[in-house]
Amino acid sequence: LVNSKKPQKYGTQFYTTKQGVYTFRPIADRKNLDIRRKEAGLEPFEVYHKHMTATRQKHKKKYKYLK
């Protein structure tokens, strides 16, 4: 979906903006996101978002070419 410019269903895709901000790609129906994630066996989005942000920070320190 993301590659076809459609909002993602589960909130698993992140990217770095031109301004250097690491964020998630557009998500369809954010109100019901955690319901969909739970049905798919995924953790709540807030937990996943924190994990992804922390991982990105760790990699930025290790790989200097990352913004």
Side-chain angles (χ1 to χ4, degrees):
L1 293 173
V2 173
N3 290 335
S4 62
K5 307 293 185 207
K6 294 180 182 176
Q8 55 180 322
K9 290 183 180 183
Y10 301 103
T12 58
Q13 302 296 311
F14 284 67
Y15 75 108
T16 303
T17 67
K18 291 179 182 178
Q19 294 78 23
V21 177
Y22 189 63
T23 190
F24 51 89
R25 295 205 176 267
I27 301 171
D29 188 20
R30 284 285 305 270
K31 181 180 174 184
N32 294 304
L33 175 59
D34 281 331
I35 293 169
R36 288 192 307 278
R37 289 181 61 86
K38 185 175 183 176
E39 289 171 352
L42 300 170
E43 62 195 346
F45 181 71
E46 182 178 339
V47 173
Y48 181 71
H49 188 208
K50 286 180 183 177
H51 169 76
M52 291 296 291
T53 301
T55 300
R56 177 65 174 184
Q57 291 301 321
K58 179 181 168 185
H59 287 166
K60 277 179 66 172
K61 290 177 184 176
K62 186 174 180 179
Y63 304 104
K64 302 298 181 190
Y65 63 88
L66 294 175
K67 293 182 179 182

